[in-house]
Structures are given as structure tokens and as C-alpha cells.
Amino acid sequence: MARKDSARKDSSPDVSRRKFLKGVAVAGAAATTAANAAPLGTGADVKRLPAAIAPTAHQIAAETAVPKDMPHLAGKPNSDFMVDVIKSLKIEHIYSNPASSFRGLHESLINYGKNSMPDFITCMHEESSVAMAHGYYKASGKPQMMLCHGTVGLMHGTMAVYNAWADRVPVIMVGGNDLDAAKRPPGVPTFHSAQDIGALVRDFTKWDDTPVSAQHFAQSFVRAYRYAMTPPHGPVLLSLDAGLQDNGVDDAGLYIPRYVASAPPHADVNALREAAKVLVAAENPVIVVDKMARTSEGAKNLVVLAELLQVPVVDQGGRMNMPNTHYLNQTAGAQALIRSADVIMGLECSDFWATVNQWIDNGEEHGHGLRESRIKPGTKLITISSVELNTKSNFQDFQRFQVTDIGMAGDAEASLPALIEAVKAAIPNDKKAAFEKRAEAFKRAKQQAQERTRQGAALGWDASPISTARLAVELYAAVKGEDWALVNAGIGMSGWHNRVFPMDKHYRWIGGSGAAGQGYGLPATIGAAHANKALGRFTVSIQGDGDMMYAPGAFWTAAHHRIPSLAIVDNNRGYHQEVMHVQRLSNRRNRVANLGITAGPVGTSIENPDIDYAKLASSMGWWSTGPIKDPNELGPALKRAVAAVKAGEPALVDVWMQPR
């Protein structure tokens, strides 16, 4: 069903608010007199009673009296200077749900700062605020800012902060707080204050601070920006006292520090030379990448390195590292390549242990899983990763420990040029023919993989619910004429989006959430679409139904701020990974899974009632259609949705899908 614009009614009142209240008071007094004069009893008597309790004289006076003048601030407040600091770093947007603890900065942003560079993007939830900034950065390479409220606002945002931390994405966070217990308002504001709000997220942020002066804010804000933007990237937080925002500026000596970006950390040159020798000497080397390509330059250099050695690349998809159209992208054959490799190099791998080891769920009697090596004895392991430069102990985002033969702490993208030069120097002339022979084998393997993809996509083509393969094929057919960017697709797609969509440019795919925290998909899509709007790209995403329902308020933000994107709901009516977990454990325990009134185990289904996502999106201003259950209706529906997005609207297509 398509959203239709309704004509706006004239909202100007016919009478002034004071005259209206005066009339209510007179009517209320008259009704009270009538009620005292005659006993209640007849229906007519009851109908003459007022529909609401009439306001008292005190309430009328409070509502109609002219507010007392508040003393005006001499000069400008500190929050105006803070806006100047923020503007100096060319932050484009602030994603926020409004709150009293940062009202001083809020007012300065929209009045003193003219709501421009940055402008205020109204969000329905702090988790969505962080996720939008997260998605914006990955689409544009530009960090954005979010504002949150004291303790409770930051508590709402913590899951998204952890996603950004695990995904190595910079988000500049500022949390309002009322520090001075002798001056802060009692009641709710005190509930929402803390000595140290940064403690809530300190285990998964790069840095935080609590400025105590305007100059302290300026220095800390620039420092926070610099730390966030130095690989490994990550979120940072400033706790900003409400009183400090409101205080008048003391011009004596105030200045904005100049921002100078830090050079990214580089792997040791001698270790790179040793790694180059090992790669050149290998018979079956493999390169595995995850979050390596921070920019398009990183992807280009990876292609150069791979072609120098004619070495296959396994792209784990944390970013678009290696074009999937290139014959050396051999992700489809990853298992066989890893098992036959004599050298494996991992570049910014989130979980290198799982790359070279296999974990079999419920594989032992205690049910905790069975470890099995994927590699043959003697395989040499090499890694370049910046993560160990900023590792903390509590949250286990650093994954299981894996011994390596050469381990380099440094940013892999920044280290590639030196590695390429080392490889060039290490290649003897008699090796080049062998490398070319290896290339021919990979070209044949690529053609065979593409043929398997075509055959696999045909299976269940006319099935209803619709297959994941058909959705990927139909969706690509609908957007291939646009400069598209696929910014989200969950595990429910079983990788079909990466097999069907030609990821030939760095922005075609920006990776997942980082920590697999639910509620990322929709707001991150909107953040990425916000960036892509300015870049002239067409944003498309595939939203898991369960993940989307964590943050449906993000629909409103996209419509309100006119952020166009195409969202496909992968509506499999359940948390399907959990469906499989319960079924698997039931089998292990020799029991039949309790299905209750649904088709999946109790506690895993999103059915009875089925959610009408099209109506939900439409209610918040989106063009929408669905649910699409007939696969023959999918293509035409997508075509209409693409037209709506090109006209400037956010659009949603609800598709009933197979579980995987």
C-alpha cells in the first residue's frame, strides 16, 4: 500500500488562547451553578454537565498570566563557544533525542549555530542515534556526533556503542550531566545524573573525559576526535556539565586547538619484509581479510598485492575489501583454500582463530562445542591487525587467542604499500611463470563458482514464501541501473546478496554491525542513506524483521528529515538463528521442540499476530507495500519502490521469506 499525502489543515486558532480559557471558566461556573440548582436524575440533566472538570481560578491565572522575565545572560554562554569548536571539525550532523541535560548546547546549536554544519537530526532512541552515526561514517568516511542524556540516555545507547567499538567505527558522543549536587534540580534530574557517566561505556570506548571549563572542552573535543579517527577507530565520549554549558564565556585566552590528524600506526618494516619472503616462497598462499579496507585506496592496494602473487583472497565481509567480481576473490571456495594452504595471511581479521579452526556446536558430551583445526601441519600464519593496539580486558571482542608465526601490530591498510614493495623486491624472475599458472586455475574456479551460483539461485525460484536467492536476484535487477550501495543485509540472506550483487566499488558494501547487536540494521541504514544522499548514491538494505523491530522509531527520522532509501524486510516471521539453536538442542537431548501455537519453537517466532510492516512504515511517512507472498509480484513491487526512492521518499517492501 502506498502512502498518500493528506492536505494539511490550517492550524491557526480562531480565538486567542486567553479568550478560550476565559470562556471555559465562564462556562464552568455556569454549569456548576446549574448543577447546584437542580438535582441530578434525568438524561437531559446529565448532558448539561461539563465534559471535564473546570479549571480553578488559580489554574486560569497560571495559564493566562504573562511569564516573569528571567535575568538575561550578559555576553554569550559557553555553549556558543562549544558550537564554534564543533564547527571547526566540520561535523555535518548531530543525531540525538532531546534532553534537558544538554539543553544549553542544544539551544546554541539551533540558534547561534543556525542549525547548520552540524544540523540537529531528531531521533526516537539513543541506540538509533549511535547507529545512525555508525552507518553515516561507514558510507562517507566522516565521523558524526550524537548527544545523549546523562545516565538513562547513555544506558539506552550502550548496545549501539558496543557495536561501533567492535566494528572499529568512530562516533563522537557527548553526554549531558548535572555534576554539582548543590545546584542541580532535585527529583528526576538527580536520578539522571552521576559522578561519572563515562563508567557506563568505558570498557568499550577509546577515550572519555569530563571537561570543567570551556577551554578544557575545546582541548578535549579535538583530542577525542583525533583519538576516534586514529586506527583502530572507535567511539569516544565527553561528559558535559549542564552548568558549564550555561555559564557566560570568559574571553580571556579562549582558543580552538587546530586539528592535525595522526598518522595511522604502521606494521614493523622488517616484519613486513620477512612476511613478503614467506608469501613469495609459498606454494599455496591465501590472504584472508575482514575489516582491512577503510577506504577505496585500501581495496585498490589489496588487488595490487593479490595480483603480484596471484594469491587467492577470502573476504570475510567486514568491509568491501576485494571486489567480488575479481577472479582472485575466491571467497566461495574458502574452506578448501584454508585446508590446503601452506601460508595464510590475515589482515584486520576480527576472529583469526575461527579462520584457521572449526568449532562444532554441541560436539562434545558437555555440549560446549568441539574444536577442530582447519589447517594442515606446518602451515605458517601471518597477521597484521591494529586491534591489539587498543585492546581491553572485559568485553571479549578480541576473540580467542591464535598463535602466529609473524604477528604485526599496525593498521593493515596503511601497511599495504610497504608490503607491496617488499613483495616486489622478493619475487625472483623464475617465479613469475608459476604465479601466472596459478592465476589460470583461479580464473577457471571463478567461472565455476559463478555457474554454481546461477544453478543454486534457480532452486525454489517459484517457492512461496520467497527464497533468499530470488530476493537477491530480483532486488539487484531493480537497482542495477542506479549507483547503488547495499548498506545492510543480515545472516538470514545466507550470503546471497554477496553472490548476486557485483561488489566492484568500495561503497557497494559497508559491512555489518560489528558485535551483532540487535537494532542496528534500520537506523544504520538511515545513517548511511543520509550520507549517500549527499553523495548521489542509491541506498538499499535488506532488514531482518526481528532486528528491525528493536528500533522502529527510526522510520520517523528518515521521513521527517527526507532521507530516501529502499528497505526490504526479510520477513521470515521469527528469530531464525534461535529457532535453529532450540531445535538443535532439542535433538541433542532427544526431545521434540515445543512449538506452541506457532511454526517455530516457543519464544522464537514472530507470528500470531503477524506484523504488518508496510502499515507500520506508512504510519510514519514511508512509501510502502506488502506483504509480498507471490514471487511473481516481487519484481513489479520493487520497481515501484525504486521509483518512489528516486522521487525522494524512503520506501519499504515487506517480503515473506524462507527462513534462510
Side-chain angles (χ1 to χ4, degrees):
M1 56 183 291
R3 178 179 64 81
K4 295 181 179 179
D5 292 327
S6 57
R8 293 184 179 272
K9 294 181 179 179
D10 186 1
S11 60
S12 58
D14 293 331
V15 294
S16 71
R17 189 162 177 265
R18 288 192 181 186
K19 289 181 179 179
F20 171 76
L21 288 170
K22 183 178 180 181
V24 169
V26 172
T32 303
T33 302
N36 291 335
L40 296 177
T42 66
D45 292 329
V46 174
K47 290 178 182 177
R48 286 196 298 270
L49 291 175
I53 298 174
T56 65
H58 177 75
Q59 289 171 326
I60 293 171
E63 288 286 337
T64 59
V66 176
K68 294 181 179 179
D69 279 340
M70 297 178 65
H72 294 285
L73 181 69
K76 68 178 185 179
N78 279 331
S79 55
D80 284 2
F81 172 69
M82 293 172 183
V83 170
D84 292 333
V85 175
I86 295 167
K87 283 179 174 289
S88 75
L89 290 164
K90 296 180 171 57
I91 291 173
E92 295 171 340
H93 309 290
I94 290 180
Y95 298 93
S96 180
N97 184 265
S100 61
S101 60
F102 57 79
R103 66 184 184 180
L105 183 56
H106 184 171
E107 192 277 337
S108 290
L109 284 163
I110 62 175
N111 291 327
Y112 173 76
K114 308 301 182 186
N115 197 37
S116 176
M117 188 69 82
D119 61 344
F120 198 99
I121 306 300
T122 311
C123 302
M124 299 289 103
H125 196 285
E126 288 83 1
E127 189 171 327
S128 295
S129 300
V130 178
M132 287 180 192
H134 185 161
Y136 192 103
Y137 171 79
K138 289 202 292 183
S140 68
K142 299 176 181 178
Q144 302 303 300
M145 184 173 158
M146 72 84 66
L147 282 166
C148 64
H149 176 48
T151 54
V152 293
L154 190 55
M155 287 173 182
H156 273 307
T158 50
M159 177 64 254
V161 179
Y162 187 53
N163 270 338
W165 166 261
D167 203 25
R168 317 307 168 196
V169 168
V171 177
I172 316 300
M173 302 185 296
V174 174
N177 193 21
D178 283 287
L179 275 173
D180 191 340
K183 295 180 180 178
R184 67 180 171 223
V188 172
T190 299
F191 275 122
H192 293 180
S193 300
Q195 294 182 43
D196 180 15
I197 64 170
L200 290 165
V201 294
R202 190 161 293 136
D203 279 329
F204 43 94
T205 49
K206 283 193 74 174
W207 186 73
D208 70 273
D209 194 22
T210 302
V212 297
S213 68
Q215 188 60 59
H216 186 173
F217 173 86
Q219 294 173 352
S220 289
F221 195 88
V222 175
R223 186 196 300 268
Y225 188 97
R226 181 171 174 171
Y227 287 176
M229 287 295 287
T230 302
H233 296 147
V236 291
L237 171 72
L238 293 187
S239 173
L240 186 55
D241 178 49
L244 178 61
Q245 299 169 55
D246 290 339
N247 290 343
V249 165
D250 179 0
D251 285 324
L254 269 187
Y255 70 96
I256 300 174
R258 183 167 60 95
Y259 170 67
V260 179
S262 298
H266 196 286
D268 179 74
V269 174
N270 290 326
L272 287 171
R273 290 172 183 156
E274 183 62 27
K277 292 176 184 177
V278 173
L279 286 167
V280 168
E283 294 295 323
N284 295 302
V286 177
I287 296 175
V288 182
V289 286
D290 188 13
K291 295 183 175 70
M292 189 283 299
R294 294 183 285 103
T295 67
S296 59
E297 195 65 24
K300 290 177 184 177
N301 281 333
L302 179 60
V303 171
V304 171
L305 176 63
E307 289 180 347
L308 270 175
L309 296 164
Q310 295 301 329
V311 59
V313 175
V314 173
D315 194 337
Q316 296 180 333
R319 301 289 187 271
M320 200 299 287
N321 301 285
M322 181 79 172
N324 65 4
T325 54
H326 197 286
Y327 66 92
L328 287 174
N329 185 321
Q330 293 287 322
T331 306
Q335 292 285 349
L337 288 170
I338 295 297
R339 291 187 184 281
S340 63
D342 55 356
V343 174
I344 301 172
M345 170 178 272
L347 302 178
E348 299 292 352
C349 290
S350 297
D351 191 354
F352 193 62
W353 186 94
T355 299
V356 300
N357 293 280
Q358 182 171 338
W359 188 82
I360 303 171
D361 189 18
N362 299 331
E364 294 181 347
E365 187 175 345
H366 53 64
H368 288 170
L370 178 68
R371 178 258 185 190
E372 180 181 284
S373 178
R374 297 182 195 269
I375 61 176
K376 61 185 183 182
T379 299
K380 292 191 177 296
L381 303 179
I382 303 169
T383 58
I384 305 177
S385 176
S386 61
V387 172
E388 58 192 89
L389 298 173
N390 192 43
T391 298
K392 300 187 181 183
S393 60
N394 190 14
F395 291 87
Q396 305 296 294
D397 59 289
F398 45 80
Q399 298 291 326
R400 293 177 69 161
F401 182 71
Q402 176 60 48
V403 176
T404 59
D405 296 280
I406 303 175
M408 291 168 273
D411 179 59
E413 178 177 310
S415 303
L416 275 185
L419 178 59
I420 289 169
E421 292 306 311
V423 167
K424 287 178 179 178
I427 297 176
N429 289 331
D430 60 355
K431 271 277 188 178
K432 293 179 180 179
F435 290 171
E436 290 304 318
K437 185 178 179 181
R438 198 154 64 193
E440 293 303 316
F442 291 128
K443 289 175 182 177
R444 290 193 300 272
K446 190 69 173 181
Q447 291 174 346
Q448 292 167 359
Q450 290 170 340
E451 181 57 33
R452 288 193 298 271
T453 293
R454 284 191 288 269
Q455 293 173 358
L459 298 175
W461 184 257
D462 294 319
S464 180
I466 294 166
S467 72
T468 52
R470 180 154 188 179
L471 174 62
V473 172
E474 296 271 24
L475 182 55
Y476 175 62
V479 302
K480 65 181 181 180
E482 312 301 327
D483 187 16
W484 57 268
L486 181 63
V487 300
N488 182 58
I491 58 175
M493 285 298 293
S494 299
W496 275 105
H497 57 285
N498 194 54
R499 281 179 271 179
V500 170
F501 281 70
M503 309 293 185
D504 54 354
K505 296 179 181 177
H506 181 251
Y507 58 81
R508 298 291 199 208
W509 173 248
I510 62 174
S513 65
Q518 294 291 285
Y520 163 88
L522 182 60
T525 289
I526 292 166
H530 200 188
N532 285 336
K533 179 181 178 181
L535 295 167
R537 301 172 188 160
F538 186 100
T539 302
V540 59
S541 64
I542 304 171
Q543 307 288 342
D545 50 356
D547 176 83
M548 192 173 70
M549 286 305 292
Y550 273 70
F555 283 125
W556 181 88
T557 298
H560 178 72
H561 292 283
R562 298 176 176 84
I563 302 172
S565 70
L566 173 58
I568 311 302
V569 184
D570 178 3
N571 185 355
N572 60 24
R573 300 158 306 287
Y575 298 100
H576 190 66
Q577 183 161 290
E578 282 60 46
V579 170
M580 295 189 294
H581 275 302
V582 175
Q583 288 175 335
R584 193 175 214 169
L585 201 56
S586 297
N587 291 340
R588 177 176 175 81
R589 295 173 177 178
N590 198 28
R591 296 198 283 235
V592 177
N594 183 349
L595 301 184
I597 60 172
T598 66
V602 169
T604 64
S605 297
I606 310 175
E607 298 176 284
N608 295 320
D610 296 322
I611 300 172
D612 192 328
Y613 298 106
K615 286 184 178 178
L616 177 63
S618 178
S619 74
M620 286 187 264
W622 284 50
W623 185 100
S624 62
T625 189
I628 305 296
K629 300 180 181 180
D630 182 346
N632 294 319
E633 296 178 1
L634 180 58
L638 291 172
K639 186 176 180 179
R640 296 194 303 273
V642 167
V645 176
K646 291 176 71 173
E649 293 191 81
L652 177 141
V653 181
D654 179 7
V655 186
W656 270 46
M657 298 286 294
Q658 298 283 348
R660 287 285 172 99

